[in-house]
Amino acid sequence: DQQVKQNSPSLSVQEGRISILNCDYTNSMFDYFLWYKKYPAEGPTFLISISSIKDKNEDGRFTVFLNKSAKHLSLHIVPSQPGDSAVYFCAASESGTYKYIFGTGTRLKVLA
Amino acid sequence: SQTIHQWPATLVQPVGSPLSLECTVEGTSNPNLYWYRQAAGRGLQLLFYSVGIGQISSEVPQNLSASRPQDRQFILSSKKLLLSDSGFYLCAWNGTDKYEQYFGPGTRLTVT
């Protein structure tokens, strides 16, 4: 049972445009969500997070939106840069469980 | 600042041989520690997590075990490797007061 889903395995975007990566979850008890960026043969790098008490969090070019009623979150990257090309994972956690459930990732390719 | 180390970076082992992967965290105390595996083309699968010395929670029944002999040391082991154990193994930590999880550089394990 995949509790965190990233239904788009890949996404291509032109440099300078907006990249939107989506993530859906099924467990309504999740109350903290994170996005990670991963290059091949490296560990994931933390990008941005959001608590369920918020619906938006912004950090530079990265913004995460949370729609609790739809159990959906998205990561917006504006403007996209070639260095953003990587695999992006969303993760969810339920407070008190110490566990993080990751999606299967979306490979973003930013075209110069 | 906190850093996380994993070794070895790459490992090629024959089927039936033992395994020991080590992870250490510096610059923090009493971290939550995690082992993940990323199989080829797959997402991050949580294998084990630990909230304290000697406390290990297993997420997926398998051929692997974990131990936490010291506060900032987490070890992943196997007595006899299987071909299906091949993958990219990642150690991660987070502080008890934060949700953000930080990953090590990973170990690429190939079982032949």
Side-chain angles (χ1 to χ4, degrees), chain A residues 20-23 35 63-67 72-76:
Chain A
I20 300 176
L21 298 105
N22 294 304
C23 181
W35 282 95
T63 303
V64 56
F65 295 92
L66 176 63
N67 183 333
H72 176 84
L73 65 154
S74 61
L75 175 68
H76 293 210

Side-chain angles (χ1 to χ4, degrees), chain A residues 30-66:
Chain A
F30 288 147
D31 55 5
Y32 206 82
F33 305 89
L34 308 95
W35 282 95
Y36 287 84
K37 174 181 180 180
K38 186 181 181 302
Y39 294 116
E42 294 184 9
T45 302
F46 169 73
L47 278 176
I48 193 169
S49 62
I50 188 166
S51 163
S52 61
I53 63 174
K54 296 184 176 181
D55 54 20
K56 177 183 174 181
N57 189 26
E58 194 170 354
D59 184 0
R61 296 188 297 116
F62 302 93
T63 303
V64 56
F65 295 92
L66 176 63

Side-chain angles (χ1 to χ4, degrees), chain A residues 32 36 38 49 95 98 100, chain B residues 34 38 59 99-101 104:
Chain A
Y32 206 82
Y36 287 84
K38 186 181 181 302
S49 62
S95 55
Y98 307 107
Y100 296 75
Chain B
Y34 303 79
Q38 184 183 21
E59 283 300 295
Y99 278 97
E100 288 77 18
Q101 200 173 59

Side-chain angles (χ1 to χ4, degrees), chain B residues 35-39 43-47 60 62 64 84-90:
Chain B
W35 279 111
Y36 290 87
R37 176 172 61 201
Q38 184 183 21
L44 299 177
Q45 180 186 34
L46 177 63
L47 302 176
V60 181
Q62 58 208 321
L64 303 169
S84 58
D85 291 324
S86 293
F88 192 54
Y89 287 82
L90 290 155

